[in-house]
Structure formats: C-alpha cells, structure tokens
C-alpha cells in the first residue's frame, strides 16, 4: 500500500488535518470491493490428492493491476481419526498460494487439521495478502486432501450423530481488493 508522500512526516496533538490531507489518507488505505461466500453444508472426500471443496470459492475482478487482494479463509473440519490428517491450501486460478516452502517431499500446505477426537471439529483461519497483478476475474478457492486412507470432513466432525453434542460449523472465504 502506498503511503502518501505529501503528508507531514508526523502530527502532534492539536494538529488539524486539511481537506487535502484527508483526501490523501482516504486514497491510501482504501478497500475497493469485498466479495465473500459462506459454506454451511458438509463436504467429505477420501482423495489423497487435492480436490476443490465445493462452495468455498470466490471470484473477484480487481479494478487495477497494482491492487492487492486480502484473502481471509476460515475452515472448520475434521480428519479421519487414526488414519489420516486433513491438509488444505488456498488456490488462486490453479496455483497454490499461501503455502510453506519446498522441503523435500513434504506437502506444502496453508494449514492442517489432525484431531484426536472423532466428535471434535477444528477451526483454522488463513489471512494472506496476495498480489495477483491482473484486472481479469480471479478465483480464490479452498482445496483439501487426506494424508492417509481415511476421509476428510468439512463443517462436521467424523462422528455425525443427530445430538446436541455433535458439532456442525461453517467455512468462509472473503476477499478484499485493497488499493495500492
């Protein structure tokens, strides 16, 4: 984000901002658009390869190629206890982003859920500032995979009996276009 260079280097108590100062600040820290989607139903997969989690995808068309996109992803889910973990990543237009560095054959992930209780659900939040450098429609989505022979569960625990002690959750993805 650009900082307006025409502003004074510092302000002291009692200083009054001029209209010109206010306009410079307004332009420097500006959210141009917000797009969000929420998934409140469940999703399961036994795939050991990354698959798109249906319903956790959002498209934004930046108004400027210099804009950045702030992505906030919240995932609720559970692994198949004792047989696998749930690895997930953020994807932009077919490219994994917000992932760890390459290190041998280790999986590059945005996050992981590996719980010890089949009646629990874990929540993970990823906040990532992306620079897509485009004015074309750009899709951000959640992808997930199993690390073993089990099943991964989104927005529910492994045990899904109809009881007040059995959780159901939601997952969201929100993107903010931020002026450069």
């Amino acid at each position: 984000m650009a900082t307006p260079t025409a502003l004074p280097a510092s302000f002291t108590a009692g200083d009054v901002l001029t209209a010109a100062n206010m306009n410079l600040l307004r332009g420097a820290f500006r959210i141009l658009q917000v797009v969000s989607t929420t998934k409140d139903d469940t999703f399961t997969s036994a795939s050991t390869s990354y698959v798109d989690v249906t319903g956790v995808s959002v498209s934004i068309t930046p108004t400027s190629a210099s804009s950045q996109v702030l992505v906030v992803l919240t995932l609720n889910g559970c692994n198949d206890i004792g047989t696998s973990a749930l690895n997930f990543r953020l994807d932009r237009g077919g490219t994994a982003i917000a992932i760890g560095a390459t290190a041998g054959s280790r999986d590059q992930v945005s996050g992981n859920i590996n719980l010890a209780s089949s009646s629990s659900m874990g929540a993970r939040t990823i906040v990532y500032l992306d620079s897509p450098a485009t004015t074309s429609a750009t899709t951000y989505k959640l992808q997930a995979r199993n690390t073993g022979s089990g099943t991964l569960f989104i927005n529910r625990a492994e045990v899904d009996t109809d009881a007040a002690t059995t959780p159901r959750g939601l997952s969201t993805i929100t993107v903010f276009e931020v002026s450069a």
Side-chain angles (χ1 to χ4, degrees):
M1 225 176 309
T3 301
T5 56
L7 286 173
S10 64
F11 291 97
T12 58
D15 283 353
V16 176
L17 293 176
T18 66
N21 292 149
M22 294 300 287
N23 285 333
L24 285 171
L25 284 172
R26 183 176 163 267
F29 307 103
R30 193 161 156 177
I31 302 297
L32 301 176
Q33 60 177 315
V34 179
V35 184
S36 184
T37 191
T38 299
K39 177 180 183 63
D40 61 3
D41 59 346
T42 63
F43 175 89
T44 59
S45 174
S47 178
T48 56
S49 298
Y50 280 99
V51 296
D52 296 347
V53 176
T54 56
V56 189
S57 173
V58 67
S59 181
I60 188 169
T61 304
T63 58
S64 170
S66 63
S67 291
Q68 294 180 303
V69 176
L70 180 65
V71 183
V72 179
L73 169 71
T74 299
L75 165 67
N76 274 288
C78 182
N79 53 296
D80 199 334
I81 308 305
T83 62
S84 64
L86 185 167
N87 284 1
F88 68 94
R89 66 186 185 190
L90 180 61
D91 177 274
R92 180 205 346 108
T95 300
I97 61 172
I99 57 174
T102 301
S105 59
R106 294 170 182 86
D107 196 5
Q108 294 175 270
V109 302
S110 299
N112 166 281
I113 296 176
N114 192 1
L115 304 175
S117 170
S118 62
S119 61
S120 295
M121 188 171 53
R124 302 291 187 267
T125 298
I126 301 297
V127 178
Y128 182 72
L129 186 60
D130 188 33
S131 298
T134 185
T135 56
S136 298
T138 304
T139 300
Y140 292 89
K141 62 187 174 183
L142 170 64
Q143 296 182 323
R145 77 173 195 92
N146 282 307
T147 62
S149 61
T151 301
L152 64 84
F153 308 93
I154 305 295
N155 293 342
R156 57 164 277 199
E158 180 181 2
V159 173
D160 195 38
T161 55
D162 186 7
T165 57
T166 304
R168 283 285 176 100
L170 58 84
S171 298
T172 64
I173 186 168
T174 304
V175 292
F176 305 80
E177 181 185 1
V178 182
S179 66

